[in-house]
Amino acid sequence: MPMRVALVCGSFSPDRDGVADYVARLASGLAAVPGVEPVVVSAATATAECVRVCDRWDLQGVRAAARAIAGLAPDVVHVQFAPSAYGWSPAVGLLPLLLRRHTSAPVVTTLHEYGWWSWPRRVPATVWRALERTRAWDRETFALAPRSAALVTTNAGHAATVRSRLGREAQVVPLGPNVEDAGDERDAARAEAAARYGLPAGARLLVFFGFVHPVKGVRYLIDALAQLRAEPAYADLHVVVAGGFTSLALPEDEARAFRAELEEHSAQRGTTDAVSFLGHTPAREVSRLLRAADLAVLPLTHGVTAKSGALLAALDHGAPVVMTLPERPADRSPELVDGVNVVTVAARRDGEALAVALRRALDDDALRSRVAAGGRALAEGRTWPVLAARHAELYASVAGDPVRA
């Protein structure tokens, strides 16, 4: 009998959420591993094919989910945790306690987001630290992380937070790219992009890829573009923003308002003709754009780490990446090295600093070639078949173990 793994995803809508897209890719990879049977379970709000186990992730819904998941007779339950995916409800943190009433299947949890949230917020940090010292409760996940048989993070920063709070070692299993390389030749991709977006011959192309949200820093990319285009050497620059605005983190009404705000900001900065907002973009077109890009630009306001699927997609396509860094060195991904596999920006929320980094990369052909090659080498070990195999090994290691008491 294959090992059945219930992959718990808060809202399985890969077109609206990065974690859901991750789960879809992981499930596909696991399905190709001999002896593993992945089953995605989610709430009624899911838009992709899955087993719907509750209406919502409140206490009543988590109780229903525990019964329904147990009814699937899983060998392992793998919870994908990010607060927004569960509607900011902390009740999912009770899932291990409720599951053990119905099944002995161990719980594995991947902490996609960790280290910044707590519920309720009014509880002082000193109280949380005292609770966490008991190794039974956690300010962000309640019993989920403490009672899981194994914890996974996608980056070393989250693993360090787990270690300091809970005294546990999380396995770091990095993300893979969230867009498959379609294999376009660079010259053909550039010609297609030039024709599609009306670029003049020889124009240089900057590409932002990902869900568009205020924290993604697109406003500062527009500011940097305006500053650079005022200089004759960069008057041909064009930015393509490839990504939808509507997501779990930005509902439709807010997404429309934010897009209008960015378009107005671009008009005020005089870059309307130099910025293309594509909205949700098919993976095939994103792949072509990443092949065509002179630079992929990720100016996130909280900085970029290796847990970014968009970053891995750009690296995998051989696009030189310019990116912001998290403020705290402890939160940075040590494998991302300025001048080796990325070009870093000195500050966040700063169009002028971003312009400096873009100018540095645009003016140095050798730098772009070096970081493109280094980025591709970094991405090579992070393919979804490799990552699925690592998960399968983890499941096998815990499948005979009871859930922690």
Side-chain angles (χ1 to χ4, degrees):
M1 293 288 292
M3 177 171 55
R4 178 173 292 177
V5 180
L7 296 171
V8 182
C9 182
S11 182
F12 192 50
S13 303
D15 60 333
R16 296 168 63 94
D17 179 57
V19 172
D21 179 80
Y22 167 98
V23 172
R25 295 177 189 280
L26 176 59
S28 178
L30 289 171
V33 177
V36 178
E37 179 190 359
V39 180
V40 178
V41 302
S42 187
T45 54
T47 60
E49 183 178 352
C50 63
V51 177
R52 291 166 175 80
V53 294
C54 61
D55 290 330
R56 60 186 63 84
W57 294 102
D58 55 11
L59 181 57
Q60 181 179 351
V62 175
R63 283 178 175 148
R67 292 192 297 270
I69 292 168
L72 297 171
D75 297 288
V76 177
V77 178
H78 187 178
V79 181
Q80 313 290 326
F81 178 79
S84 61
Y86 297 91
W88 304 99
S89 169
V92 69
L94 303 176
L95 185 60
L97 304 179
L98 296 170
L99 274 171
R100 70 182 183 182
R101 300 177 182 179
H102 309 285
T103 177
S104 61
V107 175
V108 173
T109 297
T110 293
L111 300 167
H112 291 275
E113 297 180 21
Y114 195 67
W116 65 275
W117 191 61
S118 64
W119 193 95
R121 291 181 181 274
R122 63 180 177 272
V123 176
T126 52
V127 175
W128 282 125
R129 285 194 289 270
L131 286 171
E132 288 162 349
R133 280 196 295 270
T134 70
R135 308 297 190 234
W137 206 251
D138 171 42
R139 72 188 73 183
E140 297 189 55
T141 70
F142 283 13
L144 185 58
R147 304 297 180 99
S148 291
L151 295 175
V152 177
T153 68
T154 59
N155 62 96
H158 286 173
T161 304
V162 170
R163 188 181 307 115
S164 65
R165 280 191 188 172
L166 303 178
R168 298 188 60 183
E169 290 298 325
Q171 290 203 29
V172 179
V173 182
L175 268 69
N178 59 10
V179 172
E180 185 177 350
D181 189 345
D184 292 284
E185 293 294 333
R186 177 171 167 78
D187 289 346
R190 288 182 67 83
E192 176 66 24
R196 186 175 295 247
Y197 305 111
L199 307 183
R204 286 174 289 182
L205 181 62
L206 311 181
V207 174
F208 168 88
F209 162 58
F211 287 109
V212 187
H213 184 279
V215 303
K216 298 299 183 71
V218 174
R219 168 184 292 272
Y220 306 105
L221 176 54
I222 293 170
D223 289 341
L225 176 68
Q227 181 174 328
L228 288 171
R229 280 176 59 90
E231 304 172 26
Y234 310 105
D236 62 351
L237 280 182
H238 193 95
V239 167
V240 170
V241 178
F245 284 72
T246 302
S247 65
L248 291 184
L250 201 65
E252 190 168 349
D253 288 349
E254 294 178 33
R256 278 199 301 268
F258 183 56
R259 176 166 182 160
E261 178 185 324
L262 282 184
E263 290 174 341
E264 175 60 23
H265 184 66
S266 181
Q268 292 174 351
R269 298 307 309 267
T271 62
T272 297
D273 294 339
V275 180
S276 299
F277 292 102
L278 304 189
H280 180 72
T281 308
R284 179 68 182 79
E285 176 63 10
V286 173
S287 178
R288 179 184 292 120
L289 282 166
L290 291 175
R291 282 289 196 171
D294 290 279
L295 295 172
V297 189
L298 299 174
L300 278 61
T301 60
H302 55 272
V304 179
T305 69
K307 79 181 189 74
S308 167
L311 169 68
L312 268 294
L315 298 179
D316 185 54
H317 280 76
V321 173
V322 174
M323 51 164 266
T324 50
L325 287 171
E327 181 176 3
R328 297 193 314 160
D331 294 332
R332 299 172 185 174
S333 297
E335 65 267 45
L336 299 176
V337 181
D338 181 55
V340 175
N341 45 36
V342 293
V343 174
T344 60
V345 183
R348 295 150 303 282
R349 301 182 181 88
D350 189 330
E352 185 171 349
L354 181 56
V356 169
L358 293 173
R359 189 183 291 108
R360 172 190 170 205
L362 289 167
D363 288 352
D364 192 335
D365 294 346
L367 173 63
R368 291 199 310 279
S369 295
R370 185 168 65 251
V371 299
R376 176 161 275 175
L378 177 63
E380 281 179 357
R382 303 186 180 203
T383 65
W384 284 103
V386 169
L387 301 179
R390 288 189 60 182
H391 278 85
E393 291 173 1
L394 174 62
Y395 301 149
S397 73
V398 302
D401 297 338
V403 176
R404 284 174 173 263

